Amino acid sequence: MLKRILGEPLVHFLALALVIFAVHNLLRGGADAPEKIVVGASKIEQMATVFSKTWQRPPTTDELKGMIDDYVKEEILVRQALELGLDRDDTVVRRRLRQKMEFLNAAEAAPVTVTDPELEAYLVAHPAAFATDAQLAFEQVFFNPARHGEKIVKDAAALLAELRSNDMADPAQLGDTSLLPATVELTSRAAIDHMFGGALADGLEKAPLGEWMGPITSSFGLHLVRVTERTPGQVPQLADIRDEVAREWEYARRTELEQQRFGALLARYEVSVEAPAPVGGNH
């Protein structure tokens, strides 16, 4: 029986495979030695700290062991995923890696300091970023489209002529009833946009001072308006907004440094961009 088994071709094949496998291991000289995963004391301390902040108490021995086991499992699976190339062509992974690199580049950048003359020069070069809004005070008479229909423009024009000829007319007693104020004290452009919407603020900025004009469209309907006061926007003195200017200067400086670092990295690569095939082209 033994002779018959040993004479089977399948047994010969298995024996040859075992010999080849043994020789392969010998030639590799221990290349299959297990990879090392070191869970350092600092990592364990970090785990315990995160747990304590989350649960307001230190972890038990079993809980800490569970976190260490989970970390080891994660490390093994991550290494296997990288070995299989699962990180490639994954938008989420690529985006996270990019964010981490940008964070590292920002953290490694030399601290930026600034002097008052530099801030003053930045303020002069970017006045629009720090200028206060222009402010307007005005009166308005409202026309409700639902009440006037197609006659709204004609009705507004008739009342405009009356207002221009009668300086004693009270705008609060004219036009259609609404919750909109008839008189608006000095108010910023942004606040007027929020209150009325539409093109009212644009019309007010172009309106001559002290004269009734219109109609101008808002989000509610049409308005006759008279600008009673206008104060232009202005750039404050550095002493009044130094912290704000310093933040903007620092952001601009860090952006410039990051662009320089990326430029140095880009110089190490040769980038070629292939034009996509025209849609519906001949095949």
Side-chain angles (χ1 to χ4, degrees), residues 181-234:
T183 301
V184 178
E185 302 299 331
L186 278 174
T187 304
S188 69
R189 162 69 187 261
I192 294 172
D193 279 338
H194 180 73
M195 190 184 309
F196 289 89
L200 189 75
D202 288 334
L204 291 171
E205 288 186 341
K206 300 172 184 175
L209 194 65
E211 295 182 18
W212 282 101
M213 64 161 292
I216 303 175
T217 303
S218 76
S219 299
F220 303 96
L222 297 185
H223 303 261
L224 301 178
V225 298
R226 177 168 64 178
V227 177
T228 56
E229 188 176 356
R230 179 186 286 115
T231 60
Q234 57 184 353

Side-chain angles (χ1 to χ4, degrees), residues 90-100 102:
D90 188 309
T91 302
V92 176
V93 173
R94 287 170 61 87
R95 189 173 295 133
R96 272 302 276 163
L97 292 175
R98 171 181 174 169
Q99 289 173 345
K100 285 195 170 188
E102 289 176 341

Side-chain angles (χ1 to χ4, degrees), residues 118-131 235 241 245 248-249 252:
E118 289 175 311
L119 290 179
E120 191 70 55
Y122 188 82
L123 179 58
V124 171
H126 305 86
F130 306 99
V235 180
I241 55 170
V245 178
E248 292 298 321
W249 180 93

Side-chain angles (χ1 to χ4, degrees), residues 56-236:
Q56 301 299 308
R57 64 173 178 81
T60 64
T61 302
D62 288 342
E63 288 170 335
L64 190 57
K65 180 181 182 302
M67 287 187 286
I68 294 172
D69 290 344
D70 188 65
Y71 172 78
V72 171
K73 179 180 180 180
E74 179 183 274
E75 182 66 21
I76 291 172
L77 294 178
V78 168
R79 292 188 187 187
Q80 288 298 304
L82 293 175
E83 186 176 325
L84 294 173
L86 301 184
D87 57 313
R88 294 191 290 270
D89 299 325
D90 188 309
T91 302
V92 176
V93 173
R94 287 170 61 87
R95 189 173 295 133
R96 272 302 276 163
L97 292 175
R98 171 181 174 169
Q99 289 173 345
K100 285 195 170 188
M101 284 303 303
E102 289 176 341
F103 177 79
L104 288 175
N105 287 340
E108 292 174 3
V112 289
T113 56
V114 62
T115 63
D116 280 359
E118 289 175 311
L119 290 179
E120 191 70 55
Y122 188 82
L123 179 58
V124 171
H126 305 86
F130 306 99
T132 58
D133 282 346
Q135 292 190 318
L136 297 160
F138 62 97
E139 298 171 301
Q140 65 88 21
V141 176
F142 174 63
F143 287 82
N144 189 337
R147 286 195 58 186
H148 296 268
E150 295 180 356
K151 300 191 304 176
I152 189 169
V153 174
K154 182 179 178 181
D155 292 347
L159 186 54
L160 177 61
E162 180 181 342
L163 286 168
R164 286 176 171 175
S165 63
N166 182 9
D167 291 337
M168 301 302 293
D170 183 3
Q173 303 300 319
L174 302 174
D176 298 325
T177 303
S178 77
L179 297 178
L180 298 170
T183 301
V184 178
E185 302 299 331
L186 278 174
T187 304
S188 69
R189 162 69 187 261
I192 294 172
D193 279 338
H194 180 73
M195 190 184 309
F196 289 89
L200 189 75
D202 288 334
L204 291 171
E205 288 186 341
K206 300 172 184 175
L209 194 65
E211 295 182 18
W212 282 101
M213 64 161 292
I216 303 175
T217 303
S218 76
S219 299
F220 303 96
L222 297 185
H223 303 261
L224 301 178
V225 298
R226 177 168 64 178
V227 177
T228 56
E229 188 176 356
R230 179 186 286 115
T231 60
Q234 57 184 353
V235 180

